[in-house]
Amino acid sequence: MANKCNVTDSIQFPLNRTYLELTNHCNMDCTFCPYSHQTRQQGYLDFELLKKIVDGLVAQKITTTIELTGYGEPLMNPDWYRICKYIVDSGLKLNITTNGIVLTESTTKKVLELNPEDIIISLQTPDAESFKIRKTSMKFEAYVNRLKRFIELYTESNATSNVRLRFLNTLGTKYMSFPETVSVHNTKEELITSITEWVRIIYDISSLKFDRSAVTSALSKVAKLQPTMVHVTDKITLESYLCNDYWAYGLKDKEQIKYPTKYARCRSMTLESIMILWNGDVTFCCSDFNGFLKIGSLQKSSMMEVLNSKKCAELVDGFKNFKVKHPYCQNCLGAKSLFLATTKALAASLYGLSLSEYQEIRLKTVPLPKSESKASVPQPQDVAEV
């Protein structure tokens, strides 16, 4: 076992985020995601390993919430429901992140039955043209209909989950290093138009009055750089965030980054969060698609033992002192130009120290008169799971 340090003495438990990857298989191959660039083995989280992980997290009071995410579609794990049920029954809160493709009517009902705290849908590309970069066999119209049906079933259910639909903001991608062109919302006007349309869809399903001018006016506060959370109803939000190529630097030798960053601070690397990969490996960063920053394995050790390892201490202590020690982190925060590298390092440091995570906008909701209320949204024919 690695030399033991005392990192956990300075950690505030429970951790803010504990990410869990149920699989790194996916039914999409999005241009903005490093999914197809993974070199680590692909697989599915085993239920027995899941029980060991959850029991350990609960016993050691590591976290209060588990968010299912990672570099695959969580609901593709054949055992996803049993895994989720075990997490919920353990007393931990559950968040589920999904791209929405497998949210058939039957799957949606199972998700809503679990009543997770958050259901996060990576809508990302809200029109037919941008949807092409998702690289999936599902047609855009079928995808939209599936998400509409999900929202309808949610509004009809007794679930109290927060539903969060995410949009990509690609305003700065021309300065970034994607293998292919990433283009979704290249102006603030395009972003506002997309969000406005989904506000209309949600209001239509929820029998709420839609005032386009009022909505557009409220959305003028959508930020270009800071993630924005638009509260459409008390339980449904639309989120915009800047598409970043942080992972792209992991595909290159550090010599190819002209200005790797040596001094900065990172929110992920100060143990605000932790990432558990499908095979039990532990890393810090949710952008660490290949496990470059692996600090241990929960197949062999407890989480406290992993967090108290020498490798963990070196990484954490470095960032606490604004020193970026690992080559992957240096490249992630580095860039081709000195200006961009300095900007990224400064932004990461400020974000980790002071900035709130989201700018929030709350829309006013007005119920439609009963005479105008739509009894039911037409139910599209469901499409077989992809």
Side-chain angles (χ1 to χ4, degrees):
M1 186 178 294
N3 294 333
K4 188 173 182 179
C5 302
N6 293 312
V7 175
T8 53
D9 290 345
S10 61
I11 298 174
Q12 184 173 350
F13 291 105
L15 298 177
N16 188 39
R17 291 180 176 86
T18 301
Y19 299 114
L20 180 63
E21 181 183 73
L22 297 198
T23 181
N24 59 342
H25 287 284
C26 195
N27 44 25
M28 285 183 162
D29 186 11
C30 305
T31 302
F32 51 83
C33 175
Y35 170 73
S36 60
H37 298 281
Q38 294 177 98
T39 56
R40 62 186 171 102
Q41 183 181 357
Q42 289 186 292
Y44 300 95
L45 175 63
D46 177 75
F47 184 67
E48 293 304 315
L49 176 58
L50 175 279
K51 290 200 296 184
K52 178 183 177 183
I53 290 171
V54 169
D55 292 349
L57 294 177
V58 171
Q60 296 180 318
K61 299 180 180 179
I62 301 291
T63 189
T64 58
T65 306
I66 289 182
E67 180 172 328
L68 304 185
T69 184
Y71 285 91
E73 168 52 48
L75 302 184
M76 286 181 67
N77 186 314
D79 236 359
W80 73 267
Y81 180 80
R82 189 159 65 131
I83 287 172
C84 290
K85 187 74 164 54
Y86 192 86
I87 292 171
V88 172
D89 289 347
S90 75
L92 293 174
K93 297 176 183 177
L94 174 68
N95 295 341
I96 298 176
T97 299
T98 174
N99 59 34
I101 281 190
V102 297
L103 287 177
T104 58
E105 189 146 337
S106 59
T107 299
T108 291
K109 289 178 179 178
K110 288 182 179 179
V111 169
L112 296 177
E113 178 187 318
L114 290 164
N115 198 27
E117 183 176 52
D118 284 353
I119 302 170
I120 304 164
I121 301 177
S122 296
L123 171 58
Q124 315 291 31
T125 50
D127 57 62
E129 185 60 31
S130 62
F131 188 72
K132 293 176 182 177
I133 68 174
R134 309 298 291 278
K135 298 178 184 177
T136 179
S137 59
M138 178 174 268
K139 301 299 182 183
F140 176 70
E141 183 179 0
Y143 180 66
V144 171
N145 284 339
R146 182 155 290 180
L147 297 190
K148 287 181 179 179
R149 182 60 178 150
F150 167 84
I151 295 170
E152 182 181 21
L153 290 170
Y154 168 75
T155 57
E156 294 172 352
S157 73
N158 294 319
T160 58
S161 307
N162 298 303
V163 174
R164 301 160 57 186
L165 278 69
R166 288 182 170 167
F167 294 74
L168 279 183
N169 169 351
T170 56
L171 292 171
T173 51
K174 64 181 179 180
Y175 301 109
M176 298 176 190
S177 303
F178 291 99
E180 302 173 48
T181 301
V182 176
S183 177
V184 183
H185 300 110
N186 298 312
T187 67
K188 184 174 177 177
E189 290 70 26
E190 290 176 357
L191 180 60
I192 290 174
T193 298
S194 288
I195 295 176
T196 300
E197 177 58 21
W198 276 89
V199 170
R200 185 195 64 76
I201 289 171
I202 294 166
Y203 278 13
D204 189 50
I205 292 172
S206 306
S207 295
L208 295 170
K209 183 178 180 180
F210 176 69
D211 183 334
R212 183 173 295 274
S213 61
V215 170
T216 302
S217 176
L219 294 180
S220 64
K221 298 177 183 178
V222 170
K224 291 183 179 180
L225 299 179
Q226 186 182 9
T228 300
M229 180 179 285
V230 180
H231 297 272
V232 182
T233 69
D234 61 339
K235 287 294 183 179
I236 303 178
T237 63
L238 304 179
E239 300 173 6
S240 161
Y241 67 97
L242 184 66
C243 183
N244 204 327
D245 66 342
Y246 48 80
W247 60 269
Y249 298 108
L251 307 178
K252 308 168 185 174
D253 295 328
K254 66 177 181 178
E255 289 79 11
Q256 292 179 278
I257 301 299
K258 193 172 181 180
Y259 296 95
T261 294
K262 300 293 179 66
Y263 302 98
R265 201 172 192 191
C266 176
R267 202 168 194 165
S268 294
M269 297 296 290
T270 50
L271 278 177
E272 182 202 58
S273 61
I274 207 78
M275 178 81 187
I276 305 168
L277 304 179
W278 69 267
N279 62 352
D281 286 350
V282 179
T283 180
F284 285 107
C285 183
C286 61
S287 66
D288 185 13
F289 67 98
N290 255 338
F292 296 107
L293 305 173
K294 175 184 172 182
I295 55 174
S297 170
L298 296 184
Q299 291 198 37
K300 304 174 183 178
S301 309
S302 72
M303 182 63 84
M304 283 296 188
E305 289 170 331
V306 169
L307 294 178
N308 276 321
S309 67
K310 182 178 179 181
K311 190 170 184 179
C312 177
E314 289 174 348
L315 290 168
V316 172
D317 288 345
F319 272 102
K320 283 184 177 179
N321 294 301
F322 290 87
K323 294 180 180 179
V324 188
K325 293 187 175 182
H326 198 284
Y328 179 71
C329 301
Q330 292 175 357
N331 291 353
C332 173
L333 294 171
K336 296 177 181 178
S337 72
L338 180 59
F339 173 77
L340 187 55
T342 303
T343 300
K344 290 179 72 174
L346 183 60
S349 300
L350 289 173
Y351 184 63
L353 288 173
S354 59
L355 293 183
S356 60
E357 190 167 2
Y358 286 96
Q359 172 174 299
E360 298 193 49
I361 298 172
R362 295 186 182 275
L363 301 182
K364 295 181 180 179
T365 57
V366 179
L368 282 173
K370 288 186 178 181
S371 59
E372 299 179 34
S373 180
K374 299 179 181 179
S376 177
V377 175
Q379 297 181 12
Q381 184 175 358
D382 208 356
V383 182
E385 290 193 23
V386 179

